[in-house]
Amino acid sequence: MSPTARTTAQRYPERVTYDRDDAYAILDEALVAHVGFTTPDGPVVVPVLHVREGDRLLLHGSIHGRFIQTVTTGSPICVTVTQVDGLILGRAASHHSAAYRSVMIFGNATAVEDPQERADALGRIVEGIIPGRLSGPHAARRPNVEEAGYTAVLWLPIEEFSIKTRSGFARDEAKDDAVEAWAGHIPLNLTAGTPVPDAITGTRFPAPDIAALRSL
């Protein structure tokens, strides 16, 4: 993809790329996306769970929420997804940073109007985040048309986007080489813990496979 005025980096352009496969890998790994939009009261950013299907991002929210009510009027949005991989420590405080991979998408989302299509899409969101949750002998109940009536589903085309990454070590200056402080990289990993069943479940059913879950 070619950069646009909105996706062209103003700082550290060497950290920005536009490879679609790389963007999809980050989107598929991350669990939370932050959606920014403008309201009469000013800009708002909300966190939402997301799932990518092909060249589109699947988002959802309450039909009564400010996010859905604003976006479905045709207001443009900006979606960002970030994976923090670690902390980067330099010998000078001003050179401390974070290791990260992020994707920023600009565009206009389209609402799924058909109730059954919306119910099916909500099921795919659950399956996309917790694989196998709606299949097999101990599957959860799928969303129905009634539930889809108060939950909106949005498609956002992944067309105008950029990727920004940071890794490696701090950009220390020669004047700080003699500072007697540890410098390097501290990896960070968020992993799922042991599932805790509720009182009704107890030990009757197997827990979801946490190895299949997406990153936090």
Side-chain angles (χ1 to χ4, degrees), residues 55-79:
D55 296 333
R56 301 184 297 182
L57 206 62
L58 189 59
L59 309 170
H60 74 293
S62 169
I63 62 172
H64 302 296
R66 179 166 50 180
F67 160 46
I68 296 299
Q69 291 187 349
T70 301
V71 173
T72 51
T73 63
S75 177
I77 62 176
C78 176
V79 175

Side-chain angles (χ1 to χ4, degrees), residues 77-165:
I77 62 176
C78 176
V79 175
T80 59
V81 167
T82 302
Q83 292 290 84
V84 178
D85 296 319
L87 298 176
I88 298 173
L89 281 63
R91 292 172 179 79
S94 60
H95 294 153
H96 283 53
S97 185
Y100 62 87
R101 293 164 290 136
S102 65
V103 177
M104 179 176 289
I105 307 169
F106 296 95
N108 293 80
T110 301
V112 177
E113 299 293 350
D114 182 80
Q116 187 58 60
E117 289 183 13
R118 199 156 59 239
D120 293 342
L122 290 171
R124 294 199 303 274
I125 292 175
V126 174
E127 276 287 315
I129 296 172
I130 312 170
R133 183 60 177 161
L134 301 183
S135 60
H138 302 295
R141 179 177 61 79
R142 288 181 174 274
N144 57 40
V145 171
E146 179 183 358
E147 291 163 338
Y150 50 79
T151 305
V153 176
L154 304 175
W155 286 112
L156 176 67
I158 306 172
E159 296 175 349
E160 187 179 2
F161 68 90
S162 64
I163 306 164
K164 195 170 188 179
T165 60

